[in-house]
Amino acid sequence: MSKGRLIVFSAPSGCGKGTMLAEILKDSRFRTSVSATTRGPREGEVDGVNYHFITREEFDRKVAEDCFLEHAEYVGNCYGTLVSEVDPYLEKGINVILEIEVQGAMKIRQKRPDALFIFIAPPSVNELKRRLKKRGTEADDVIEQRVAAAAGEIAQAEKYDYIIVNDALEDAVSDFFAVIRAESLKTANSGEILNEVLKNA
Ligand code: 5GP
């Protein structure tokens, strides 16, 4: 059985990453890794489902024990990808998706060069602003900060292997599966296929 693929999925807030992932996860070949964070749970968030919510002391201990594939600080809180959330599943042939920000993604780029890097972009920064306003969860000044942060992140999108523009959800999800399919057909990933073709030749 071939191993699963590690997929890094980054998107500024308001790009519809959550909705896209909900669609993708209907396919049992994929799972998302549950990160550890020192941030407190938001209303409705469940420990072990959205995040593993841990104290700063526990986080530091896990860093010392080398439990993280990568970790980063983001707006005053620590976030980290646990090796135990990733490697056992890859071994079982499941593709593991990491929803992480750009700094963490670039650390994975160095540690796991065979991972697949996908950036989700909004159709335009104006559209992103419109979506954030419509969502209505943030004050106007926070929206401006998020839009500025998003523009900074979008400027780094060229470091990723693929950019998917999430204009219409259905198209974005179908683009994702097209990328996965194309990747599986790459020469570098198709050793087993060739062995099969050449069998008994
Ligand atoms: P939030 O606090 O809004 O849930 O997440 C803040 C940011 O941290 C988001 O961009 C999210 O993708 C990112 N994030 C979540 N988990 C991890 C992680 O394990 N590592 C890194 N580097 N970023 C993460």
Side-chain angles (χ1 to χ4, degrees), residues 33-36 52 62 67-69 80-87:
S33 146
V34 181
S35 293
H52 298 289
K62 287 190 186 299
C67 297
F68 291 120
L69 197 52
T81 305
L82 293 158
V83 175
S84 59
E85 282 281 332
V86 175
D87 287 347

Side-chain angles (χ1 to χ4, degrees), residues 80-200:
T81 305
L82 293 158
V83 175
S84 59
E85 282 281 332
V86 175
D87 287 347
Y89 298 93
L90 295 178
E91 288 301 329
K92 279 189 238 168
I94 295 169
N95 302 306
V96 180
I97 302 176
L98 309 183
E99 294 176 65
I100 60 176
E101 45 67 65
V102 180
Q103 296 170 65
M106 291 309 116
K107 290 183 195 161
I108 300 283
R109 181 66 113 182
Q110 285 174 356
K111 268 193 154 166
R112 301 280 173 101
D114 57 338
L116 176 60
F117 292 79
I118 302 178
F119 190 90
I120 311 301
S124 70
V125 173
N126 269 343
E127 171 61 14
L128 183 79
K129 198 191 269 188
R130 199 191 63 77
R131 287 182 191 172
L132 288 175
K133 283 196 167 160
K134 191 172 159 218
R135 195 165 80 179
T137 50
E138 273 96 12
D140 279 359
D141 58 330
V142 177
I143 291 180
E144 289 306 327
Q145 285 170 26
R146 284 191 174 241
V147 170
E153 285 178 273
I154 294 164
Q156 301 200 62
E158 61 187 19
K159 296 177 180 160
Y160 286 67
D161 300 317
Y162 295 89
I163 299 174
I164 296 177
V165 174
N166 187 8
D167 195 353
L169 175 69
E170 209 173 295
D171 293 343
V173 171
S174 124
D175 284 348
F176 172 85
F177 285 109
V179 164
I180 297 297
R181 179 85 186 123
E183 280 290 312
S184 75
L185 299 176
K186 266 191 170 168
T187 316
N189 301 327
S190 55
E192 281 181 24
I193 298 172
L194 284 185
N195 286 340
E196 198 57 33
V197 172
L198 289 170
K199 207 163 69 184
N200 306 326

Side-chain angles (χ1 to χ4, degrees), residues 17 35 39 42 51 70 72 74 79-81 99-101 104:
K17 180 178 58 174
S35 293
R39 161 167 92 57
R42 293 185 187 130
Y51 281 106
E70 64 74 41
Y74 184 88
Y79 296 84
T81 305
E99 294 176 65
I100 60 176
E101 45 67 65

